[in-house]
Amino acid sequence: MSTEPKKISLEQVTQTFRGGALSAIGGELIAVDRATFTLTAEPPQIISLVGESGSGKSTIARIILGLQHPTAGRVLYNGKNIFKLDSAEYDRYRRDVQPVFQDPYGIFNPFYRVDRVFWRPIEKFGLAKSKANGLQLIEESLHAVDLRPADVLGRYPHQLSGGQRQRVMLARVHMLRPAFIIADEPVSMLDAAVRVMFLNVLLDFREKYGMTTLFITHDLSTAYYLGGETMVISQGRIVERGRAEDVITKPAHPYTRQLIASVPVPDPDSRWTDRLEVSEQTAEVRSRSRDRCLFAERCSHVSDHCWNARPAMMSAGNAQNAACFLYGTAEHDDRAVAIAESVGGAL
Ligand SMILES: Nc1ncnc2c1ncn2[C@@H]1O[C@H](COP(=O)(O)OP(=O)(O)OP(=O)(O)O)[C@@H](O)[C@H]1O
Ligand SMILES: [Mg+2]
C-alpha cells in the first residue's frame, strides 16, 4: 500500500452525449471538455466548482464517482485509472470518495428506516465490532451534525425534513471518514440557517478529519463563504481557477466577470438569496466549432485570436489562472492590465 497522499486527478476528461434530440443539431453535445484538475487529500482542501445550469458540473461529479465513463480522458486515483481498478481497489475507492447530493431523498429507500444508511456501510466495511459499538458510532456521527439520534433513528425517510435528510447524509460521511467528499449542489434546497450549518460542517470536517471536498454549486456566494479554491466552469470548460476570494472579488476571465456582475456584489447580508442570471446556452450555440473561445460572441475584449484558437489556462496573477488570451501573449498584456484594474465595471 502506497504511503503517498491520496489524490484524484482528472486528465483531459471529456464527455460527449449523442443521439436523441441532439441529432437535429449535429448529433452531439460536449458536456465536459478536457477537464483537468487534481483533488489532494493532503493538505485537505475545499474546491468549489461553480457554473450556470447545464455547464457540466454534475457530469463531472458522476464521472469522479465512477457512475459514468468519460468519452475521453482519465480519472486517476493515486495514479490508477478508476475504471480499471480491481474489485478490492474499487471498494476502497468507493469508501474513500463519498457523494452528497442535492436532495438525498432519492438515495434513501422509502421502505427502509433511516438507520439502514448507517448499518449498510458498517456491515460492508466492517466498521464495528458489535451491534452496540455500531450504534455508538451512529450516535456519535449524528451528534457531530447536530442531530439527536431519537429524532431520526427508527424513522422512515419521508418522516424527516429535507434538512434532516441532508444532515443524515453528512452524519454518514462523518462515520465513514472518507478522504474525499463530492458534494453536488447539496445546499440549494435548504433554507439559509440550515445551509450555513451544512457549510460549517464541511469546514469542520476539513479541519478535524482532513477531508477534502469538491463542492459543486451554481451559487458564487456559497463558494465565497467556503473559501479555499474556486473553479469556474462554462459550457463544459473550466475557464478560471484561483483562491475563492480572488476569483470572486477580482475575476480574471471576462466570463467570470459577467457572471459576478449578474449577481449583487458579494455582500454578507444579501448573499444567501443571490442567484446567477446568466442565460443558458442553447444546444445550437454549443454545437458550433469549439476550436475557439466559447465566450467570444459575448466578450467585449474579443480579438481575432479568440475565434481561431482555444485559449489554454494562463496565469492571471498570484495563483489565479484563466483560459483567456488576455493573459496569454505579450501583445495582450496591456489589455490584461486594463481588465484587471476595471474591477466592478460592466463588460
Ligand atoms: N445522459 C445525458 N444525455 C444527454 N445529455 C446529457 C446527459 N446528461 C447531461 N446531459 C447534458 O449535458 C449538459 C451538462 O449537464 P450537467 O447535468 O452536467 O449540468 P450541470 O452543470 O450539473 O447543470 P445544473 O446546474 O442544472 O445541475 C447539459 O446540456 C445536459 O443537458
Ligand atoms: Mg447538476
Side-chain angles (χ1 to χ4, degrees), residues 57-59 184-185 216:
K57 307 181 295 297
S58 296
T59 305
D184 189 359
E185 303 269 10
I216 292 176

Side-chain angles (χ1 to χ4, degrees), residues 119 122 127-140 153:
W119 285 111
I122 287 175
L127 302 183
K129 293 184 227 37
S130 62
K131 202 90 182 163
N133 183 215
L135 194 58
Q136 190 187 351
L137 276 182
I138 296 171
E139 291 186 350
E140 270 169 24
L153 296 181

